[in-house]
Amino acid sequence: FNLDQGAAPTSQVINATWTGTPPGQVYVGATLQGTGLNQSIPIVIGQTSASATVSVASGLAEGTYSAQLNFLVCSDSACNQRIGGTPLPVSYTVNVRAPVFSGPPGIAFTYTRGTTPTQAPVALNIKAGAGAWTATVDQSFITLSKTSGNGADTVNVFFDASSGISSLYRGRVTITAASGTQSVPVTLDLTSPLITAGSPP
């Protein structure tokens, strides 16, 4: 597994199959040696196969977590009578990278045309260990206070509503650094002012 610190845990499915007829009821389990994975491992057993969903543990700090999963096939629920040559070891590694920047998981701007903007820019704080970095946007309504640097810095995200019709605009800010790449979604809800009919002369 490879993920950024603070990112949502991801999962992978491990499948096992067998041939022949098991000697009665079959039980499949897993034991975890080490850290980095969620200790709850759901297992679904079929007639000739089993699948285990392995997930990264939540809240891991930056670093590398390597250990081993042992899958067990047993003829009793306590798994005292093991069959099929188990335990079957599966090595794993979880690489947790430091985030390139800290900031909100998403940026949302709202603006009514013809009014004075009241929302402050949103700051993305680039980590000291990021190294040389560049910041890019994929939509013209997003503007940045700066687009490159080296090490710790702050990039302020603004919106530009000078052109465009009333609509919900979606885009993304991406910061690419020596330490990795990270992005954040940005939306702009652009509306027109309500027109109120005046009193007749």
Side-chain angles (χ1 to χ4, degrees):
F1 296 91
N2 294 288
L3 70 160
D4 293 321
Q5 185 180 1
T10 57
S11 62
Q12 296 183 33
V13 176
I14 299 175
N15 295 302
T17 60
W18 57 83
T19 58
T21 303
Q25 187 69 37
V26 172
Y27 299 86
V28 178
T31 60
L32 176 61
Q33 295 179 339
T35 59
L37 295 183
N38 189 331
Q39 294 193 15
S40 175
I41 304 174
I43 297 176
V44 177
I45 304 173
Q47 292 296 319
T48 59
S49 65
S51 62
T53 302
V54 181
S55 303
V56 175
S58 299
L60 292 179
E62 176 191 358
T64 299
Y65 304 80
S66 295
Q68 182 173 286
L69 280 168
N70 288 317
F71 287 94
L72 307 174
V73 183
C74 312
S75 59
D76 65 302
S77 59
C79 226
N80 294 318
Q81 303 297 322
R82 300 178 183 179
I83 58 178
T86 61
L88 303 172
V90 176
S91 298
Y92 70 86
T93 300
V94 179
N95 295 310
V96 181
R97 301 177 295 248
V100 176
F101 63 84
S102 61
I107 300 172
F109 294 113
T110 59
Y111 176 65
T112 301
R113 297 178 64 85
T115 63
T116 301
T118 57
Q119 282 185 274
V122 176
L124 304 179
N125 298 304
I126 300 174
K127 302 293 186 178
W133 57 266
T134 58
T136 58
V137 301
D138 64 353
Q139 298 293 331
S140 59
F141 78 87
I142 308 171
T143 60
L144 305 176
S145 60
K146 57 185 67 176
T147 57
S148 63
N150 197 321
D153 211 331
T154 299
V155 175
N156 290 313
V157 182
F158 303 82
F159 69 90
D160 179 6
S162 60
S163 62
I165 61 174
S166 297
S167 185
L168 178 63
Y169 295 87
R170 300 179 186 275
R172 186 170 291 273
V173 176
T174 300
I175 298 181
T176 303
S179 62
T181 299
Q182 186 179 345
S183 62
V184 60
V186 182
T187 62
L188 169 62
D189 188 3
L190 179 60
T191 60
S192 297
L194 296 175
I195 300 176
T196 304
S199 301

